[in-house]
Amino acid sequence: CGEAGSILADDPSCFWSCGEMELMDSDEFIRYFKKDAPEEDLDSIEDRFGAFPITNRGIQIWMLLSPKADSPTLFHALLPCRHGPWKPPVTITLAFWESNYYRYPELPFVVPDKLPEGPLQLRQVYLRYQDPPHPNTTFEIDDSALTKNGFTSIGAYPKKFSGSTLTLTRTNPLCIKIYSDNLTNHRLVVGLGQHLGRGWIHVVSDESMEFPRPSWEDYTNLKYSEAHLRTPEYAQHMNRAPSGAERYGRIFIMQTRLHQITRILRISSVMWKSSRMCAVKLELFDDPSFGDVSGEWTAFHVDGTDDPSCDWRGLMILDQPRKYNIYETHGIPTNFLTARDGVKLGDYGHFTDSKEFCCEGSLFSDLESLSLMADISPRQHKISSMDRVESLLTSFSTRLTGRYLVTEIIQCPPDPRQPGSNITTPLYRVAKPFVWHRTSVIIHFAYSSYSFSGINDESTGSASDEQSDDELRSEWQPNEG
């Protein structure tokens, strides 16, 4: 059937082409893969094929798998049946996701009954017979920075956007949106999808100068099929980020270089709690240094996702550069740092090598000097997105790139375990406003062993370390037995 999910058929119509299907006896089945399977597996293969217990996790079964060449999470699986007496064994595609295997649909133009080309491995796997939740995913794209910098939206395939929003469902889980750079004539392909209930985003800068250019239909079919093939991989990249505490939202940030020009494309994604909409922001930054960027997703805890106006400018990234203590305020465990004398609400600055906060100025002092305090009325001890400071944070974003802001000050009462103590401890929280955040760019010099960060960034909230494709594939391979 046509969507990823349970190994079981969704509907009797899934069996429409099975009228001529016939089972293969074990000797004939083994003959097809004997030369490719490890010899030690052949001795026990009949016994292993004969049992497949049903467990809470899934159907536990031994199968012959072959990894697909272009995807570390998709596998061909051979079945002991065929479409006719002279046909090879049927193969199906399985997606590896969170330690289990799911059915994964092939595109209509993929040739069926083609034996896999890669090495076969006899593996004990769990085939999920229950579908994970498949809620619809609605994306809202803010691509205004692209259009202001010479990019033109060519179109989307196979679905159309309604304004800036797009809703994906289980039966329509993928869409690509394509832009053209008016300066270089390169294309930018933005993939939006959902896989087994998880949304994902991926961007590819296509700099090929093929001439003549393929037709719009051929080009979109090619890019759509590439995104379809790598959907489990793209979803896995975002899913690898730690979940963290439920009281915080999460923001995903990735950046990629647009080659041959000195610009970096940053992709940010956040889920707004009020609308359950996945907002995506595409931004461009100049980087004449041509420094390296990882192209990997990074996840941070973030405050402000409950803002009913869904204003990006009010998001506060909880990027803690030093160890903090957990205190309970209003019955909720919260992370605080012990304040030194003089730390005040609205202070901004950086953290030193010894992880001490170094104040560089005060947001409210700057605003007062600019006679802009009339519209600002922060709470006594806390700055929140409800204080109408969003536009002001944005106005300081160029000068205060990478700086931290003191967003909350409290007084911790004396420790009740120490009778007679009357000492209160001042505590504070810092955050990095989203509009002040920049991901680090590493610049490498030829004939030199040195590198340095071209943009100051003390990020410690990385979702994952970089790994090669081989390491990822090794990590996702199931263990035998």
Side-chain angles (χ1 to χ4, degrees):
C1 287
E3 59 267 356
S6 162
I7 198 66
L8 302 180
D10 298 318
D11 188 86
S13 62
C14 295
F15 298 101
W16 69 270
S17 62
C18 296
E20 298 180 357
M21 192 75 70
E22 62 179 40
L23 290 175
M24 303 173 65
D25 61 52
S26 58
D27 291 338
E28 193 171 16
F29 183 48
I30 292 172
R31 178 169 58 85
Y32 273 96
F33 59 81
K34 184 176 181 179
K35 65 180 183 300
D36 298 316
E39 187 173 346
E40 59 270 17
D41 289 339
L42 297 177
D43 296 335
S44 58
I45 197 167
E46 289 193 49
D47 293 335
R48 289 177 171 179
F49 280 165
F52 39 90
I54 308 299
T55 71
N56 289 336
R57 180 176 169 183
I59 302 173
Q60 184 180 359
I61 189 171
W62 287 89
M63 301 191 77
L64 284 161
L65 300 182
S66 174
K68 296 195 73 166
D70 297 327
S71 175
T73 57
L74 292 181
F75 297 83
H76 288 298
L78 265 66
L79 303 181
C81 57
R82 57 190 176 187
H83 282 293
W86 308 111
K87 296 287 187 178
V90 168
T91 62
I92 60 173
T93 303
L94 298 176
F96 185 58
W97 179 260
E98 295 182 341
S99 302
N100 297 309
Y101 287 81
Y102 294 83
R103 178 186 71 240
Y104 194 73
E106 290 283 10
L107 292 174
F109 49 80
V110 174
V111 178
D113 294 341
K114 181 181 178 182
L115 286 176
E117 299 176 356
L120 291 172
Q121 298 176 339
L122 183 63
R123 295 287 181 178
Q124 187 180 54
V125 302
Y126 287 88
L127 303 178
R128 290 291 294 176
Y129 55 82
Q130 293 176 321
D131 278 324
H134 280 77
N136 293 346
T137 303
T138 298
F139 291 93
E140 181 181 44
I141 292 188
D142 178 0
D143 57 4
S144 56
L146 293 184
T147 56
K148 290 178 182 177
N149 285 273
F151 282 82
T152 301
S153 175
I154 302 176
Y157 177 85
K159 298 188 67 177
K160 302 297 183 183
F161 277 70
S162 175
S164 61
T165 64
L166 171 75
T167 298
L168 297 178
T169 65
R170 180 180 177 183
T171 55
N172 293 285
L174 173 62
C175 183
I176 58 173
K177 188 172 186 180
I178 301 174
Y179 300 84
S180 177
D181 186 344
N182 300 334
L183 178 64
T184 63
N185 207 28
H186 294 161
R187 288 175 174 174
L188 197 66
V189 182
V190 179
L192 304 169
Q194 69 165 11
H195 179 64
L196 299 174
R198 302 291 181 89
W200 60 266
I201 307 107
H202 191 78
V203 178
V204 175
S205 178
D206 182 2
E207 299 159 14
S208 61
M209 299 302 292
E210 182 181 355
F211 187 82
R213 277 284 180 95
S215 67
W216 166 254
E217 181 179 1
D218 290 342
Y219 185 79
T220 53
N221 280 336
L222 173 63
K223 294 305 174 183
Y224 183 86
S225 62
E226 290 176 354
H228 175 271
L229 178 66
R230 303 185 76 99
T231 281
E233 179 185 352
Y234 295 155
Q236 188 79 27
H237 285 170
M238 299 190 73
N239 192 52
R240 290 171 64 199
S243 59
E246 292 184 1
R247 64 183 179 276
Y248 298 127
R250 281 194 301 168
I251 187 169
F252 294 87
I253 298 175
M254 182 181 75
Q255 61 181 21
T256 183
R257 177 169 296 285
L258 303 181
H259 294 283
Q260 299 183 13
I261 56 176
T262 59
R263 288 188 289 183
I264 289 175
L265 172 67
R266 184 173 77 174
I267 309 102
S268 306
S269 173
V270 68
M271 178 71 75
W272 296 110
K273 292 181 179 179
S274 56
S275 63
R276 300 303 301 166
M277 184 174 292
C278 182
V280 180
K281 182 182 284 288
L282 305 174
E283 300 172 281
L284 286 172
F285 299 101
D286 288 323
D287 176 41
S289 64
F290 285 95
D292 289 344
V293 292
S294 69
E296 297 289 332
W297 284 106
T298 305
F300 299 96
H301 292 149
V302 65
D303 265 343
T305 57
D306 54 353
D307 179 11
S309 62
C310 301
D311 194 331
W312 285 84
R313 299 171 302 170
L315 294 176
M316 295 286 183
I317 296 176
L318 305 179
D319 174 20
Q320 299 284 0
R322 56 171 284 190
K323 187 176 180 180
Y324 49 78
N325 296 313
I326 299 177
Y327 297 85
E328 190 170 287
T329 59
H330 305 292
I332 301 175
T334 310
N335 305 327
F336 282 94
L337 302 172
T338 303
R340 297 183 304 167
D341 292 340
V343 175
K344 301 182 296 298
L345 186 70
D347 285 353
Y348 58 80
H350 65 278
F351 281 82
T352 65
D353 292 340
S354 59
K355 305 301 182 184
E356 294 295 332
F357 179 71
C358 178
C359 178
E360 300 178 35
S362 169
L363 183 68
F364 299 124
S365 296
D366 291 350
L367 296 177
E368 190 173 24
S369 66
L370 296 173
S371 301
L372 295 174
M373 287 295 291
D375 294 328
I376 305 301
S377 55
R379 302 173 190 174
Q380 185 176 0
H381 303 295
K382 185 176 181 180
I383 297 174
S384 76
S385 59
M386 302 302 292
D387 295 324
R388 301 191 300 275
V389 298
E390 292 92 342
S391 59
L392 296 168
L393 293 175
T394 303
S395 67
F396 285 107
S397 61
T398 302
R399 180 164 66 89
L400 300 181
T401 294
R403 302 305 193 271
Y404 292 85
L405 179 67
V406 177
T407 60
E408 188 170 0
I409 293 279
I410 65 170
Q411 297 292 329
C412 183
D415 190 342
R417 295 171 297 181
Q418 298 180 359
S421 173
N422 59 357
I423 300 176
T424 60
T425 304
L427 305 173
Y428 72 105
R429 296 182 72 197
V430 297
K432 186 179 291 184
F434 170 76
V435 292
W436 296 3
H437 177 77
R438 295 291 184 274
T439 306
S440 60
V441 176
I442 305 300
I443 305 173
H444 298 279
F445 291 93
Y447 314 111
S448 172
S449 60
Y450 297 100
S451 66
F452 68 95
S453 177
I455 300 178
N456 185 30
D457 180 30
E458 300 84 10
S459 300
T460 59
S462 176
S464 61
D465 295 325
E466 292 187 39
Q467 293 175 279
S468 68
D469 289 342
D470 291 340
E471 289 172 326
L472 289 173
R473 175 160 292 209
S474 174
E475 175 183 316
W476 291 332
Q477 285 281 10
N479 293 323
E480 183 172 334

